Amino acid sequence: MNWWKNLKGKVILREPLKKHTSFKIGGPAKFFIMPYAIADLKFIIASAKSSKLPISVIGAGSNILVNDKGVEAIVLQLNSPFFKRISCKRNYLKTSCGVTVGKLIQEAGEHNLSGLEFLAGIPGTIGGALAMNAGAWGKNIGDLVENVQVMDYDGNVKTLDKREIKFGYRSSNLEKFIILDARLKLAKRNKKEITRQIKKYLAHRRNTQDKSLPNAGCVFKNPSYKSAGRLIDLCGLKGKRVGGACVSGRHGNFIMNCGNASANDVLKLMGLIKKRVRNKFNVILEPEIKIWQ
Ligand code: EPU
């Protein structure tokens, strides 16, 4: 009856998700599973269907707010060695979904491959970055994609060409699949130049963003032609606190866990911010972080 006993990967029951989110917030997952490879994934999908349990995939947990009660779901983290492979051929880099953004940037640099530098300092895995088309400084990871191999929720593996993938602002149609790996097209460049560029992006990030406490980066999407952070700042909300959650004093669009914040504290603070920005600027802010209810 205990279907998970047949898996080769690691299974944890009632795992607190706060251990896996950059916010350090979130109740337990019914099943937290780190599958070994493809066969495990297929088995989990089939078992989830027969147990009528939803599946969610977590990367580095750097862009999600998980509710305090937790989730009656199977949460997958694809971080076994199989899901962390990187290979390089000419100016193409093939990466599995569990590779961290930082590791991929480093590996690209080792091969004199340029194109990923703008992502320097963005936490997360390649799977997460692709699903939400992570970006900064006007560039997005989707621009580099040649193809992505995915598994659908019937267990079928297929390769989606870039023409079949719709990348939007912090969104993509890859979110309805389990992302397995991707082929990215980069450009040959001198390693020193790449390192210089990375340092520039990291310094810019250090100067404008806030890493002093657990957070999930920008909480709201930027409304068109505006910066959500600036609007929140202009409402005088920097430092505003609800329970253990507070608006960063450095960047208006960052909510920090400044002491045992609950998901509810963050949601209440988001509600308050939305209301103030709507009243002052007539702008409706949309969450950029994924909220797991
Ligand atoms: N600003 C303020 N006050 C603030 C924050 C910002 O006046 O409290 C001003 C800044 O001075 C600047 C403008 O607003 O003139 C834009 O700010 P910033 O350069 O910090 O960029 P952003 O629009 O707030 C976006 C992304 C970030 C990404 C940066 C850098 C979104 C929601 N945010 O932030 O992404 O790192 O650009 O490209 O798209 C994330 O995805 O989690 C994230 C943080």
Side-chain angles (χ1 to χ4, degrees), residues 79-91:
N79 66 352
S80 71
F82 177 84
F83 294 110
K84 284 190 170 177
R85 293 164 304 148
I86 303 175
S87 61
C88 177
K89 213 177 201 179
R90 300 188 307 276
N91 58 324

Side-chain angles (χ1 to χ4, degrees), residues 120-121 137 198-211 250:
W137 328 115
I198 290 172
K199 282 192 178 147
K200 195 185 84 184
Y201 285 124
L202 286 176
H204 200 312
R205 201 167 271 277
R206 248 194 325 272
N207 291 335
T208 54
Q209 301 187 353
D210 194 345
K211 284 181 81 175
R250 254 178 106 85

Side-chain angles (χ1 to χ4, degrees), residues 135-137 169-170 205 208-209 216-218 220-222 227 229-230 233 238 250-254 288:
W137 328 115
Y169 167 50
R170 296 296 192 276
R205 201 167 271 277
T208 54
Q209 301 187 353
C218 286
F220 294 104
K221 291 182 181 171
N222 281 341
S227 156
R230 184 165 164 73
D233 189 0
K238 277 184 171 167
R250 254 178 106 85
H251 196 296
N253 203 5
F254 276 52
E288 195 252 354

Side-chain angles (χ1 to χ4, degrees), residues 149-163:
Q149 194 182 52
V150 296
M151 184 181 284
D152 66 21
Y153 283 93
D154 289 318
N156 305 307
V157 174
K158 52 185 164 186
T159 300
L160 302 175
D161 183 74
K162 62 181 172 190
R163 281 166 283 266

